[in-house]
Amino acid sequence: MRTGLVVPNIKGWFQIAGVALLALFSAACNSQVRDVRGYEIKDSGYLGRPSGIQQDIYWLDNNRVIFIGAKPGDVVEPIAGVKQIRYGLFVWDLSAGTVKRHHEADIANGNLCVFRGYIRLSYTSDHRLSPVAQRWYVFEGPFGKEKLRLVGEQEREESRQYERVLNSYTCREYRRSELPALGYRVEPLLEGEFISREREPIGTEMVHWAYWPRNGSPVLLNMTPEAIGIERYSEYLDSYVLHEYPRGVVFSDTVIRRWWLMDRNGGIRDFTPPTGPWMRGSTFVMPTKRGLLLVSHAIRGGGNGAAGAYLQDRKGLFRIIDGLPESFDISPDGCRTALAISQWSRDKPVTPWVKAVNLCTKGG
């Protein structure tokens, strides 16, 4: 899913790449897809965003989910006769069975980041203004104590020049000029941890990234001749999820896409899922208490195809929920996944619903 350079702060890039890859529909039959029912699936009753380019869903703890979404039927009319869904920031308490708006503003466009109870929502409520004229706000702070501020022109210009950048792992902004001199390009991860390259590649040359743990020597991410980047962070295992980005993109039932788990001391172990029809679309993996969770976008032209969320057991992968996942996250205890998932149709608008699956219940 990659040609050439690796982007270590891969969360945003990988989600954007996933949107482009959705255009490649699966042509394979689903004879190899094992669907297993019996897992507890809860529906929030609220819509998620169908964009697929942002992570809109996060777990606050093992029972509460915070997400960008909308109440069905709640619309805004920025232009007479043109209705759009009114998105906002909500908290779903699965134990209480309630969904409450957490911030009053409408979200015409926005980005959400959550890390260990720290919330950062950047957004605009301007539906009709051009991107240059839109007013952007940041709603940020510990959950329940966030503060709202207007993003000034100087801050916006520093962001455009990539001097001010958001760390999508910690949800804090940083200045590139303040980063340690660890190589040609340096990106921050969690507290005191970084990833860097020694120098700029020449032509098609591969210069691998190095992981710098907080205490210890750098670890070169050169497990294959291809580029390897950090895809996400797992709070459940306190580890990073690494992914190989081959220079040639292949979609088939037999393609092997490699992943690894890396603990924060730099210890690496293989985390590659089995091949199958789920590989005919963009895929994501995360560790859970029940094993590997794989999210697949392997839709077919007229329906879900092999798309959905899968769990791996000793016999292979089995699908626990079918549909097109737009965004997902794993609870801190590794027992639940929350996701915005739609039933794909080429002929009807895609409407994702925010749901949660308890992975620690026994499948039927």
Side-chain angles (χ1 to χ4, degrees):
M1 301 183 66
R2 189 88 175 147
T3 55
L5 302 181
V6 178
V7 178
N9 192 354
I10 202 69
K11 280 174 76 175
W13 182 93
F14 194 73
Q15 290 164 334
I16 292 171
V19 174
L21 294 170
L22 289 178
L24 300 174
F25 296 143
S26 169
C29 69
N30 295 321
S31 59
Q32 299 177 55
V33 175
R34 289 195 301 135
D35 286 298
V36 176
R37 307 307 180 189
Y39 285 85
E40 179 189 66
I41 300 177
K42 291 187 176 182
D43 193 326
S44 68
Y46 277 65
L47 304 175
R49 288 197 297 180
S51 63
I53 63 172
Q54 307 290 348
Q55 183 175 346
D56 285 353
I57 292 178
Y58 293 85
W59 288 89
L60 282 170
D61 49 40
N62 293 320
N63 291 304
R64 293 180 300 168
V65 175
I66 187 167
F67 66 96
I68 295 177
K71 185 177 181 180
D74 189 8
V75 297
V76 61
E77 196 168 349
I79 303 174
V82 178
K83 295 182 179 181
Q84 298 179 5
I85 296 174
R86 187 192 303 270
Y87 290 104
L89 185 65
F90 296 89
V91 174
W92 177 20
D93 188 324
L94 278 75
S95 296
T98 59
V99 179
K100 297 181 180 179
R101 182 180 286 270
H102 187 61
H103 183 50
E104 289 303 318
D106 298 338
I107 301 174
N109 189 15
N111 305 292
L112 178 63
C113 185
V114 179
F115 179 70
R116 295 177 181 170
Y118 189 88
I119 313 299
R120 189 185 192 277
L121 170 69
S122 61
Y123 69 93
T124 179
S125 296
D126 297 326
H127 289 263
R128 296 181 59 184
L129 298 179
S130 69
V132 175
Q134 286 176 341
R135 296 160 295 180
W136 279 79
Y137 297 86
V138 172
F139 179 68
E140 182 177 27
F143 178 73
K145 299 180 180 179
E146 302 93 339
K147 295 183 179 180
L148 181 66
R149 61 180 174 84
L150 176 67
V151 178
E153 182 53 39
Q154 180 178 347
E155 185 176 345
R156 295 181 69 174
E157 180 60 27
E158 290 176 349
S159 297
R160 285 192 287 266
Q161 297 299 323
Y162 297 102
E163 169 57 22
R164 183 191 294 265
V165 184
L166 177 68
N167 182 337
S168 59
Y169 296 94
T170 64
C171 304
R172 266 66 164 189
E173 283 190 324
Y174 66 92
R175 294 180 181 274
R176 291 195 179 276
S177 58
E178 299 171 349
L179 294 175
L182 300 176
Y184 157 72
R185 182 174 174 183
V186 181
E187 300 284 349
L189 302 172
L190 298 190
E191 305 88 349
E193 299 165 2
F194 302 90
I195 191 170
S196 72
R197 282 192 303 191
E198 182 181 10
R199 56 183 171 80
E200 171 73 4
I202 300 174
T204 59
E205 177 191 23
M206 181 58 62
V207 178
H208 293 285
W209 292 89
Y211 167 66
W212 297 78
R214 189 170 187 177
N215 299 303
S217 302
V219 177
L220 194 62
L221 305 182
N222 62 347
M223 294 82 79
T224 77
E226 300 287 358
I228 297 170
I230 296 182
E231 184 173 292
R232 292 182 71 161
Y233 166 73
S234 164
E235 179 138 8
Y236 166 59
L237 289 184
D238 193 23
S239 299
Y240 295 106
V241 179
L242 310 182
H243 188 206
E244 178 186 53
Y245 299 94
R247 281 162 277 197
V249 178
V250 178
F251 291 89
S252 77
D253 290 16
T254 59
V255 66
I256 297 175
R257 296 187 188 143
R258 296 179 175 87
W259 276 269
W260 299 264
L261 291 178
M262 179 176 70
D263 64 38
R264 294 175 64 189
N265 293 319
I268 298 173
R269 62 185 176 94
D270 186 75
F271 199 60
T272 298
T275 61
W278 42 86
M279 290 301 185
R280 286 188 169 269
S282 55
T283 48
F284 311 79
V285 302
M286 284 287 283
T288 76
K289 196 169 185 179
R290 284 291 299 270
L292 181 148
L293 178 84
L294 180 143
V295 169
S296 170
H297 288 168
I299 55 177
R300 290 196 306 181
N304 292 328
Y310 293 72
L311 269 178
Q312 184 177 12
D313 63 14
R314 286 171 291 184
K315 298 179 181 179
L317 278 181
F318 53 92
R319 185 165 57 179
I320 56 175
I321 185 171
D322 60 342
L324 176 61
E326 301 285 353
S327 179
F328 79 103
D329 195 29
I330 304 298
S331 60
D333 65 0
C335 266
R336 285 172 167 170
T337 180
L339 66 169
I341 189 165
S342 60
Q343 298 305 301
W344 174 258
S345 172
R346 187 169 51 189
D347 304 319
K348 296 186 296 185
V350 175
T351 305
W353 294 86
V354 176
K355 299 184 180 184
V357 184
N358 191 332
L359 308 174
C360 290
T361 59
K362 185 177 181 180

